[in-house]
Amino acid sequence: MEITVKYHKRKTIYKWKSKGVVYHDFDSLYEIYIKTMNCSHCGKEFPNTRDRCLDHDHETGQFRKIVCQDCNNK
């Protein structure tokens, strides 16, 4: 199981970096991401991990907050 968790973490961080996300400590950002259970914008609870999105500024790459799919698409 630990291998699966490490793989998911590595894959997730790789995806963020490839999308241009900029952050000083991706390991801590991943922990924040995993532990966040509600949308930082509307407060809706995440039914599962696929409903969770890492929001970032597309010009600077700076992380902003963790939001639900609905808020991310607005």
Side-chain angles (χ1 to χ4, degrees):
M1 172 129 171
E2 185 178 324
I3 293 171
T4 304
V5 171
K6 286 182 180 181
Y7 173 75
H8 180 266
K9 179 178 179 178
R10 192 171 61 239
K11 183 176 142 188
T12 301
I13 291 172
Y14 175 82
K15 181 178 74 171
W16 292 340
K17 288 180 177 181
S18 69
K19 290 185 177 193
V21 175
V22 175
Y23 199 72
H24 66 280
D25 182 355
F26 279 97
D27 287 327
S28 68
L29 181 58
Y30 181 81
E31 293 305 316
I32 293 166
Y33 177 78
I34 291 300
K35 291 177 181 175
T36 301
M37 297 300 168
N38 295 78
C39 176
S40 298
H41 186 72
C42 73
K44 176 180 149 184
E45 186 175 338
F46 299 124
N48 61 56
T49 57
R50 283 192 248 177
D51 294 318
R52 200 180 297 156
C53 300
L54 189 99
D55 181 47
H56 70 287
D57 184 298
H58 288 250
E59 290 183 24
T60 66
Q62 292 297 312
F63 162 73
R64 290 190 285 220
K65 54 190 166 183
I66 298 163
V67 297
C68 65
Q69 290 282 353
D70 292 336
C71 289
N72 192 49
N73 292 327
K74 291 181 182 177

